[in-house]
Amino acid sequence: MGYPYRIFRQNAWPLRLMICAPLILQTSPAFAQDSEDLDGGKLLQSNCGRCHAVEQTGNSPLQSAPPLRDIYRKRSTEQLEFEFAEGMGSRHPEMPQIQFSSEEIAAILTHLARITNPE
């Protein structure tokens, strides 16, 4: 084959690295949104708000679903971090199992701390 093919074939890793590096970096945690940029309230509203109350006051839309502020008060931070990371585990058949990233968990816990301990 021609000259360009030999270079690509013999020295493929630098070219592959140049092509793949931007894709890898865009998906790496270092380039993920900081928890400060994420809105824990919006995350909870979009993922949990159909059934649970996600704000400082108010009842849950689904009567049997406890407000998330009450769950926050009853469980340790470590337990909540684990459950949000691994998926809360279905307490009933309609509850979806949602897994959050570490940045999303930090934003969610910040929101829950803010609404349960307002200053």
Side-chain angles (χ1 to χ4, degrees):
M1 294 241 165
Y3 180 73
Y5 177 76
R6 275 195 313 250
I7 291 175
F8 178 74
R9 184 89 168 126
Q10 292 171 351
N11 300 316
W13 72 268
L15 183 57
R16 288 181 187 152
L17 181 62
M18 288 173 37
I19 293 169
C20 295
L23 299 173
I24 293 168
L25 290 174
Q26 286 177 350
T27 59
S28 72
F31 282 80
Q33 278 186 306
D34 293 329
S35 59
E36 295 172 1
D37 295 338
L38 294 171
D39 185 331
K42 287 181 182 177
L43 285 169
L44 288 175
Q45 185 61 47
S46 65
N47 290 286
C48 310
R50 180 174 64 111
C51 300
H52 296 274
V54 297
E55 293 301 332
Q56 187 175 3
T57 60
N59 296 325
S60 295
L62 182 64
Q63 187 177 6
S64 61
L68 291 180
R69 62 184 176 268
D70 294 346
I71 293 171
Y72 179 80
R73 287 182 186 116
K74 293 177 184 177
R75 297 200 176 131
S76 70
T77 302
E78 293 79 19
Q79 185 179 10
L80 288 170
E81 286 174 345
F82 176 79
E83 289 180 343
F84 282 127
E86 296 299 318
M88 292 297 279
S90 185
R91 306 287 191 255
H92 53 85
E94 294 83 28
M95 185 172 168
Q97 186 159 349
I98 302 167
Q99 294 176 292
F100 294 98
S101 70
S102 57
E103 293 83 10
E104 291 170 329
I105 293 168
I108 288 167
L109 293 177
T110 298
H111 172 76
L112 290 173
R114 185 177 48 80
I115 65 170
T116 54
N117 301 313
E119 293 179 15

